[in-house]
Amino acid sequence: MNWDQIEGKWKEMTGNVKAKWGELTDDEIAEVNGDREALEGKIQAKYGKSKEEAKKEVDDFLNAH
């Protein structure tokens, strides 16, 4: 699945996002609204990851779905 597909199905994907990054609140996930950069930013802020680490996690998530 590519990011455009995830973006188009964001409401369906929120459960998977919540399962992967459980510390993100429902409001934070809703704010992302399918925006990859916003998701990476939330992961960086919440988990104290570098930009590269957050990007890799999102890439891994993308490959798994």
Side-chain angles (χ1 to χ4, degrees), residues 4-35:
D4 289 334
Q5 291 171 309
I6 288 179
E7 191 173 15
K9 297 180 178 183
W10 185 248
K11 292 214 184 296
E12 297 167 32
M13 295 300 297
T14 57
N16 293 328
V17 171
K18 184 76 172 170
K20 172 77 175 160
W21 297 287
E23 290 184 28
L24 294 179
T25 66
D26 292 337
D27 287 344
E28 288 171 328
I29 293 170
E31 284 174 24
V32 168
N33 198 29
D35 182 331

Side-chain angles (χ1 to χ4, degrees), residues 7-65:
E7 191 173 15
K9 297 180 178 183
W10 185 248
K11 292 214 184 296
E12 297 167 32
M13 295 300 297
T14 57
N16 293 328
V17 171
K18 184 76 172 170
K20 172 77 175 160
W21 297 287
E23 290 184 28
L24 294 179
T25 66
D26 292 337
D27 287 344
E28 288 171 328
I29 293 170
E31 284 174 24
V32 168
N33 198 29
D35 182 331
R36 181 185 174 128
E37 288 184 13
L39 178 59
E40 290 174 4
K42 298 281 185 200
I43 293 166
Q44 282 180 264
K46 199 67 136 177
Y47 291 91
K49 305 232 179 226
S50 71
K51 184 173 184 151
E52 293 77 23
E53 289 172 320
K55 183 180 182 329
K56 183 181 180 334
E57 282 194 14
V58 173
D59 284 342
D60 291 346
F61 175 79
L62 186 63
N63 291 332
H65 296 89

